[in-house]
Amino acid sequence: DVKVTQSSRYLVKRTGEKVFLECVQDMDHENMFWYRQDPGLGLRLIYFSYDVKMKEKGDIPEGYSVSREKKERFSLILESASTNQTSMYLCASNLRGEVNPYNSPLHFGNGTRLTVT
Amino acid sequence: DQQVKQNSPSLSVQEGRISILNCDYTNSMFDYFLWYKKYPAEGPTFLISISSIKDKNEDGRFTVFLNKSAKHLSLHIVPSQPGDSAVYFCAASGNNRKLIWGLGTSLAVNP
């Protein structure tokens, strides 16, 4: 069974802090994704990666960066946290689709609820 | 502008009856559709998918129907069980390789 593990369930950080959210998957998936989920806005893609050291911007990359040094690990970095980045962050992974990266179901972690004060 | 719409934020159904969750989309280029289920404090889990070359896909108690001309899909759960109580998300993707999510429908199955 695929497991996607996010290192923290809850985080509280101060405005201006640098924040690292870590995600590890154990099924050798090529693709990894970072989403945030907010009430009334659904799931929005921040960044995704289809290979080690490769990354692509999603719909809302501003204020975020990512790192993928190893296939199993995908980190989301908030360079200088702000209160509008208070949210639920979800990491996901899947196998590389032949044409479309989403033609293989996403496997999600349980999320990190980040509060920025 | 939302390209994937789940117009019912919530739905309540009696145990043993059918649950029907609806999803409408506006982009005719979408060719793959997925349903995910989400329990509180957990990440979404994949439920069932359908390609645009089909109009129905079934997996146990779950069936997804696709009506391309109406740009509409629905998820049927028969029979509904209390453990099915969750938020259900519809998602769609097309040749631009982006996955577009609906806002979800919260299903409550009452014993």
Short mmCIF file of all heavy atoms in Angstrom, two decimals, chain A residues 6 19 22 31-32 35 49 63 82 90 108:
data_model
loop_
_atom_site.label_atom_id
_atom_site.label_comp_id
_atom_site.label_asym_id
_atom_site.label_seq_id
_atom_site.Cartn_x
_atom_site.Cartn_y
_atom_site.Cartn_z
N GLN A 6 3.74 13.01 5.62
CA GLN A 6 4.11 14.41 5.83
C GLN A 6 4.61 14.53 7.26
O GLN A 6 3.97 14.03 8.20
CB GLN A 6 2.90 15.32 5.58
CG GLN A 6 2.49 15.28 4.13
CD GLN A 6 1.34 16.22 3.81
OE1 GLN A 6 0.34 15.81 3.23
NE2 GLN A 6 1.48 17.50 4.16
N VAL A 19 9.97 28.37 6.52
CA VAL A 19 9.27 27.16 6.92
C VAL A 19 9.53 26.04 5.92
O VAL A 19 9.47 26.27 4.71
CB VAL A 19 7.74 27.41 7.02
CG1 VAL A 19 7.02 26.14 7.48
CG2 VAL A 19 7.45 28.57 7.97
N GLU A 22 7.95 18.83 4.87
CA GLU A 22 8.59 17.67 4.26
C GLU A 22 7.57 16.60 3.90
O GLU A 22 6.59 16.40 4.63
CB GLU A 22 9.62 17.07 5.22
CG GLU A 22 10.66 18.06 5.75
CD GLU A 22 11.67 18.44 4.70
OE1 GLU A 22 11.74 17.78 3.64
OE2 GLU A 22 12.41 19.42 4.92
N ASN A 31 6.18 11.22 -9.88
CA ASN A 31 5.58 12.55 -9.71
C ASN A 31 5.27 12.83 -8.25
O ASN A 31 4.76 11.96 -7.53
CB ASN A 31 4.26 12.65 -10.48
CG ASN A 31 4.42 12.46 -11.97
OD1 ASN A 31 5.47 12.75 -12.53
ND2 ASN A 31 3.38 11.97 -12.61
N MET A 32 5.52 14.05 -7.84
CA MET A 32 5.12 14.49 -6.51
C MET A 32 4.55 15.90 -6.61
O MET A 32 4.96 16.68 -7.47
CB MET A 32 6.28 14.43 -5.52
CG MET A 32 6.77 13.01 -5.28
SD MET A 32 7.98 12.84 -3.95
CE MET A 32 6.92 13.01 -2.48
N TYR A 35 -0.13 20.70 -2.71
CA TYR A 35 -1.38 21.45 -2.80
C TYR A 35 -1.62 22.20 -1.49
O TYR A 35 -1.12 21.81 -0.44
CB TYR A 35 -2.58 20.50 -2.98
CG TYR A 35 -2.76 19.91 -4.34
CD1 TYR A 35 -2.16 18.69 -4.68
CD2 TYR A 35 -3.56 20.53 -5.28
CE1 TYR A 35 -2.36 18.13 -5.93
CE2 TYR A 35 -3.78 19.97 -6.53
CZ TYR A 35 -3.17 18.77 -6.85
OH TYR A 35 -3.37 18.21 -8.08
N SER A 49 6.61 18.07 -9.20
CA SER A 49 7.90 17.60 -9.68
C SER A 49 7.70 16.26 -10.36
O SER A 49 7.04 15.38 -9.82
CB SER A 49 8.87 17.44 -8.50
OG SER A 49 10.03 16.76 -8.90
N GLY A 63 5.52 32.93 -3.39
CA GLY A 63 5.82 32.82 -1.96
C GLY A 63 6.30 31.45 -1.53
O GLY A 63 6.60 31.24 -0.35
N SER A 82 3.93 34.23 5.67
CA SER A 82 2.99 35.32 5.89
C SER A 82 1.66 34.74 6.34
O SER A 82 1.37 33.56 6.14
CB SER A 82 2.81 36.14 4.60
OG SER A 82 2.24 35.35 3.59
N LEU A 90 -1.19 19.80 1.51
CA LEU A 90 -1.29 18.38 1.17
C LEU A 90 -0.24 18.01 0.14
O LEU A 90 -0.11 18.66 -0.89
CB LEU A 90 -2.68 18.06 0.61
CG LEU A 90 -3.84 18.15 1.60
CD1 LEU A 90 -5.15 18.28 0.86
CD2 LEU A 90 -3.86 16.94 2.51
N PHE A 108 -2.39 10.80 -1.48
CA PHE A 108 -2.15 11.97 -0.64
C PHE A 108 -1.64 11.58 0.74
O PHE A 108 -1.98 10.53 1.29
CB PHE A 108 -3.46 12.75 -0.43
CG PHE A 108 -3.86 13.59 -1.62
CD1 PHE A 108 -4.60 13.05 -2.64
CD2 PHE A 108 -3.49 14.92 -1.68
CE1 PHE A 108 -4.98 13.83 -3.73
CE2 PHE A 108 -3.87 15.72 -2.76
CZ PHE A 108 -4.61 15.16 -3.79
#
